[in-house]
């Protein structure tokens, strides 16, 4: 940039943004820096536990809670027009944990899923969605591995 500043491109179409950045940089004899998140990675994007130490994930009408102390996963669904249905699964039914990573436009999502029962039903009990590059993948991997060790199950790192 002429005055020595930075030009930040936040474009959903990555190929277009790259071509634009390279054209501008070429015109001024500069290099393109692909920086990801504006301020770099931000640690501390792991899910917080509630006051009783449970991990809870809410999505739409469903809430999944992993309670290590009670040894269970509880799935609660709101029913239309009123009411709730609740299902409890023992932690011994967990076959494995899967950590997935997915990028859509400028957002990234880390999801930790418990694969439960002989049907291998996937229950999401922890996730994070934010701008790409903000969360630390190693932090999520360590979180998943530690939880897998405590539960005594395998952890698979899967691409979303």
């Amino acid at each position: 940039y002429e005055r020595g500043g930075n030009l930040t491109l936040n474009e959903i179409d990555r190929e277009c943004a790259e071509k634009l950045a390279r054209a501008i940089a070429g015109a001024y004899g500069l290099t393109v820096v692909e920086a990801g998140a504006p301020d770099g990675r931000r640690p501390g994007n792991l899910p917080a536990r509630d006051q009783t130490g449970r991990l809870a994930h809410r999505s739409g009408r469903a809430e999944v809670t992993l309670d290590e102390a009670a040894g269970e996963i509880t799935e609660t669904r709101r029913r239309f027009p009123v009411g709730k249905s609740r299902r409890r699964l023992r932690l011994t039914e967990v076959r494995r944990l899967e950590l997935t990573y997915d990028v859509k436009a400028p957002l990234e999502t880390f999801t930790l899923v418990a694969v439960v029962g002989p049907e291998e039903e996937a229950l999401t009990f922890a996730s994070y969605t934010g701008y790409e590059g903000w969360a630390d993948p190693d932090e999520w991997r360590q979180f998943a591995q530690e939880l897998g060790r405590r539960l005594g199950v395998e952890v698979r790192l899967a691409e979303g």
Side-chain angles (χ1 to χ4, degrees):
Y1 232 175
E2 285 181 4
R3 296 184 189 142
N6 293 329
L7 174 64
T8 302
L9 296 175
N10 292 322
E11 183 66 39
I12 291 176
D13 183 352
R14 290 171 185 249
E15 290 179 22
C16 178
E18 183 179 3
K19 287 178 186 176
L20 181 60
R22 295 209 184 282
I24 294 169
Y28 289 98
L30 302 171
T31 59
V32 174
V33 177
E34 298 178 18
D39 299 329
R41 298 208 180 278
R42 298 177 182 189
N45 295 311
L46 296 176
R49 293 179 181 267
D50 67 8
Q51 61 272 20
T52 60
R54 300 175 300 179
L55 287 172
H57 180 276
R58 290 167 191 82
S59 178
R61 294 175 173 240
E63 177 180 340
V64 177
T65 306
L66 181 126
D67 188 346
E68 290 179 72
E72 66 183 18
I73 296 175
T74 305
E75 180 185 35
T76 306
R77 293 191 176 272
R78 290 188 314 242
R79 295 290 180 201
F80 182 79
V82 293
K84 289 183 182 179
S85 70
R86 180 170 286 139
R87 178 174 68 142
R88 287 190 167 89
L89 302 160
R90 302 296 311 162
L91 288 180
T92 55
E93 294 181 57
V94 176
R95 292 182 169 234
R96 68 180 174 277
L97 299 179
E98 292 183 356
L99 177 63
T100 62
Y101 175 75
D102 190 33
V103 176
K104 290 184 181 168
L107 299 178
E108 68 182 355
T109 302
F110 287 91
T111 307
L112 190 55
V113 173
V115 178
V116 181
E119 307 86 28
E120 296 200 346
E121 179 183 2
L123 295 173
T124 299
F125 64 89
S127 74
Y128 163 79
T129 299
Y131 287 108
E132 182 180 4
W134 279 4
D136 184 0
D138 289 332
E139 188 177 39
W140 273 87
R141 280 188 214 102
Q142 290 172 0
F143 172 71
Q145 294 291 349
E146 175 60 29
L147 188 58
R149 266 192 298 280
R150 286 198 313 265
L151 299 178
V153 296
E154 169 193 12
V155 176
R156 290 187 186 168
L157 306 175
E159 287 296 318

